[in-house]
Amino acid sequence: MSLTEENYLKALIYLSFLAPGIKEKKDVGTNELASYLKLKSSTVNEMLKRLKEKNLIHHEKYKKISLTNSGERTGLKIVRKHRLWETFLFTKLGFDWIEIHEVAEQLEHIKSEKLVEKIDMLLGYPNYDPHGDPIPDKCGKIPQRICKNLSTVERGKNCVVLAVRNTSRDFLNYLEDLNISIKTEIAIVGKIAFDNSIKIKIKNKQHSISNKVADNLLVDDSFN
Amino acid sequence: MSLTEENYLKALIYLSFLAPGIKEKKDVGTNELASYLKLKSSTVNEMLKRLKEKNLIHHEKYKKISLTNSGERTGLKIVRKHRLWETFLFTKLGFDWIEIHEVAEQLEHIKSEKLVEKIDMLLGYPNYDPHGDPIPDKCGKIPQRICKNLSTVERGKNCVVLAVRNTSRDFLNYLEDLNISIKTEIAIVGKIAFDNSIKIKIKNKQHSISNKVADNLLVDDSFN
DNA sequence: TATAATAGTTAGTATTACCTAACAATATAA
DNA sequence: TTATATTGTTAGGTAATACTAACTATTATA
């Protein structure tokens, strides 16, 4: 399996169910994939033929793309490697947040089953990477998030939005204003005892939200 | 710089002065390089053109190849990365001796100045890799070996042959029988108090050598 | 439902890194 | 010193991965 093929599979995994905001698996269009990979759709089209021949994807002319079981398994292995390397760079080498992705993009293609497992061991078999994204296990199983209300997360901790409890138009509009959606990372800056409102930080911008709002956001803070 | 170009430079470094038994820099032939890289000489020839254009090697038609300063610096960076990764795999992840090379062959091509330096730091700035080979520093400087007589190396330690003190035909023939040459790795298995002879292991084969022989072998055991 | 916009495919081209086969230069040895 | 062996080069070809341009199918809308 070439580095390029691996990147296609990873992209398909991402676009079909791993990207922020996706609730259930969806098929992927050729152009969608091309623009994500910053390639031309003709280039992608050729690769699709090869991936189909190798039984890694389902694809019929002019139809959307989906991963086969084999393709998904292979792709999840790359995601696993990527996230383990990110964790390694962050926790063992003191890289920061912004730098880890680019280097992990390279490291994820190193071919050595043993290396991945040893790094996993060295890190203490983490379930989440430094961004709070779940790390698939050896078999490709993605750890279940531990779900709690944003209002219960401690000051100073970070969390990731898993779901919203209220789907009213007003609430969703408000979330959009705050730039909050599924998988958004939120840092808890402080809590106001007076009215139980919470100071949060999203993409380096600080906001204040009421307890009612916090109570309607389900998050995971288990990677702290 | 492509992975392939990096491998050519590394090979040239190796063949021109890093390989066991080479005492001073020598120029390299096209076929020599080709057979080392397990490629056809026509393939190598094309690459030589490119490396020359990039000012990484000196090469005139039908003449031998040598590295430019720039080529040597670049190549030594790859050697540095290779040996640091080998050390990492061995000392931090418990890989054994035989496995480390293959994985380091991949890891050495990861592009991140910071990563190399962090790994170097994590390892405590080692001077030698698990094989006893010197690790070039950031600037490409190769640490000087610490030279001592084989007879002074402690039981249980490993060392690498640096030079021979006696160049008589008889002595050299004897060394050849024992499979000892420059850069040969020797493990000290035991010492016989009776006659000061030494039990050694070379490539998993055990031998016994007299004190007189040991006294004529200059080695480095500083990587233990 | 005709047409425009979007999405997907095909054809032909370039580059990298390999190959084989044929040939040219240099070195060695009878 | 000429014949032979070795070494190095050139020409032409292939597979992988990208591209542009032109085409076709599908979808959305007026």
Side-chain angles (χ1 to χ4, degrees):
Chain A
M1 163 121 328
S2 78
L3 181 147
T4 317
E5 288 169 339
E6 290 189 347
N7 282 334
Y8 275 82
L9 289 183
K10 200 175 48 130
L12 284 168
I13 293 265
Y14 187 78
L15 295 173
S16 66
F17 64 92
L18 229 55
I22 300 181
K23 272 148 198 163
E24 55 193 38
K25 270 184 204 174
K26 69 175 190 68
D27 292 354
V28 178
T30 307
N31 284 325
E32 189 186 359
L33 181 55
S35 79
Y36 178 74
L37 290 169
K38 298 194 175 81
L39 296 171
K40 301 298 161 181
S41 41
S42 55
T43 305
V44 167
N45 222 264
E46 266 177 40
M47 180 57 91
L48 292 181
K49 269 179 214 155
R50 192 131 47 85
L51 294 175
K52 196 192 166 183
E53 260 168 32
K54 292 192 172 187
N55 196 34
L56 294 163
I57 59 165
H58 300 293
H59 186 229
E60 300 306 324
K61 253 193 188 179
Y62 293 106
K63 294 278 157 59
K64 301 229 158 173
I65 310 147
S66 65
L67 287 156
T68 62
N69 285 337
S70 160
E72 189 174 312
R73 236 182 307 116
T74 313
L76 281 171
K77 273 187 196 161
I78 319 290
V79 173
R80 168 175 165 76
K81 285 201 271 182
H82 182 95
R83 293 183 174 177
L84 280 172
W85 278 116
E86 283 200 340
T87 310
F88 172 77
L89 295 172
F90 187 82
T91 67
K92 295 289 168 186
L93 298 187
F95 274 63
D96 57 57
W97 240 77
I98 306 122
E99 305 167 307
I100 58 179
H101 182 74
E102 188 190 324
V103 183
E105 284 286 298
Q106 299 177 62
L107 287 164
E108 74 193 7
H109 299 292
I110 303 292
K111 276 164 196 32
S112 167
E113 192 79 27
K114 184 166 178 176
L115 178 59
V116 192
E117 301 316 317
K118 288 282 185 182
I119 290 284
D120 196 19
M121 190 174 78
L122 185 73
L123 296 170
Y125 309 103
N127 282 311
Y128 302 98
D129 74 14
H131 301 111
D133 290 318
I135 300 170
D137 72 12
K138 242 200 270 207
C139 312
K141 203 168 156 270
I142 298 174
Q144 202 44 50
R145 302 272 205 165
I146 298 126
C147 211
K148 62 199 287 189
N149 284 331
L150 178 58
S151 52
T152 67
V153 178
E154 287 169 55
R155 201 181 77 89
K157 295 218 161 181
N158 300 306
C159 60
V160 172
V161 175
L162 296 183
V164 288
R165 265 186 160 174
N166 183 315
T167 52
S168 72
R169 179 158 292 280
D170 281 352
F171 186 58
L172 296 178
N173 278 337
Y174 180 53
L175 293 185
E176 208 178 318
D177 284 350
L178 288 172
N179 239 307
I180 292 175
S181 57
I182 299 302
K183 297 191 185 168
T184 296
E185 290 157 23
I186 299 179
I188 313 299
V189 176
K191 296 193 165 196
I192 311 300
F194 171 64
D195 61 354
N196 285 320
S197 66
I198 303 174
K199 276 192 191 148
I200 59 173
K201 215 184 211 176
I202 297 165
K203 283 167 197 150
N204 262 319
K205 264 202 172 156
Q206 196 159 309
H207 306 274
S208 185
I209 57 170
S210 71
N211 182 261
K212 194 180 169 187
V213 170
D215 226 30
N216 277 299
L217 286 171
L218 299 177
V219 301
D220 175 22
D221 68 345
S222 61
F223 55 89
N224 276 288
Chain B
M1 164 122 327
S2 80
L3 180 147
T4 316
E5 288 169 340
E6 291 188 347
N7 281 334
Y8 275 83
L9 290 183
K10 199 174 50 132
L12 284 169
I13 293 264
Y14 187 78
L15 294 173
S16 66
F17 64 93
L18 229 52
I22 300 180
K23 271 149 200 163
E24 53 193 39
K25 271 184 204 178
K26 68 174 191 66
D27 292 354
V28 179
T30 307
N31 283 327
E32 190 187 0
L33 181 55
S35 80
Y36 178 76
L37 290 169
K38 299 194 176 84
L39 297 172
K40 301 298 159 180
S41 41
S42 54
T43 305
V44 167
N45 223 264
E46 266 179 39
M47 180 58 90
L48 293 181
K49 268 179 215 153
R50 201 151 90 235
L51 294 175
K52 197 191 166 184
E53 260 169 30
K54 292 193 173 187
N55 196 36
L56 294 163
I57 59 166
H58 300 293
H59 185 229
E60 299 307 325
K61 254 193 189 182
Y62 293 105
K63 295 277 156 60
K64 301 230 159 172
I65 310 147
S66 65
L67 287 157
T68 61
N69 286 338
S70 158
E72 188 174 313
R73 236 182 307 115
T74 313
L76 281 170
K77 273 188 196 162
I78 319 289
V79 173
R80 168 174 164 77
K81 285 201 273 182
H82 182 96
R83 293 182 174 177
L84 281 172
W85 278 115
E86 282 199 342
T87 311
F88 172 78
L89 294 171
F90 188 80
T91 67
K92 294 290 170 185
L93 298 187
F95 274 64
D96 57 57
W97 241 76
I98 307 125
E99 306 167 306
I100 58 180
H101 182 73
E102 188 191 325
V103 183
E105 284 286 296
Q106 299 177 61
L107 287 164
E108 73 193 8
H109 299 292
I110 302 291
K111 275 161 196 35
S112 165
E113 192 79 27
K114 183 166 178 176
L115 179 59
V116 193
E117 301 316 318
K118 288 281 185 181
I119 289 284
D120 196 19
M121 190 176 79
L122 185 73
L123 297 169
Y125 308 102
N127 282 312
Y128 303 99
D129 73 14
H131 302 112
D133 290 319
I135 301 171
D137 73 11
K138 243 198 268 206
C139 314
K141 201 167 158 271
I142 298 175
Q144 204 42 53
R145 300 275 206 167
I146 298 125
C147 212
K148 61 199 287 189
N149 285 329
L150 178 58
S151 53
T152 66
V153 178
E154 287 170 54
R155 200 182 75 91
K157 295 218 163 183
N158 301 306
C159 61
V160 172
V161 175
L162 295 183
V164 288
R165 266 185 159 174
N166 184 314
T167 53
S168 73
R169 177 157 293 280
D170 282 351
F171 185 59
L172 295 178
N173 278 338
Y174 179 53
L175 293 185
E176 206 178 321
D177 285 349
L178 289 172
N179 239 306
I180 291 176
S181 57
I182 301 301
K183 297 194 186 169
T184 297
E185 289 157 23
I186 300 180
I188 313 299
V189 175
K191 296 193 165 197
I192 311 299
F194 172 66
D195 61 353
N196 284 322
S197 67
I198 301 175
K199 276 190 190 151
I200 59 171
K201 216 183 208 175
I202 297 164
K203 283 168 197 151
N204 260 318
K205 265 200 173 161
Q206 197 159 307
H207 307 275
S208 186
I209 57 170
S210 72
N211 183 262
K212 195 181 168 188
V213 171
D215 227 30
N216 279 297
L217 287 171
L218 298 177
V219 301
D220 174 22
D221 68 343
S222 62
F223 56 90
N224 277 287

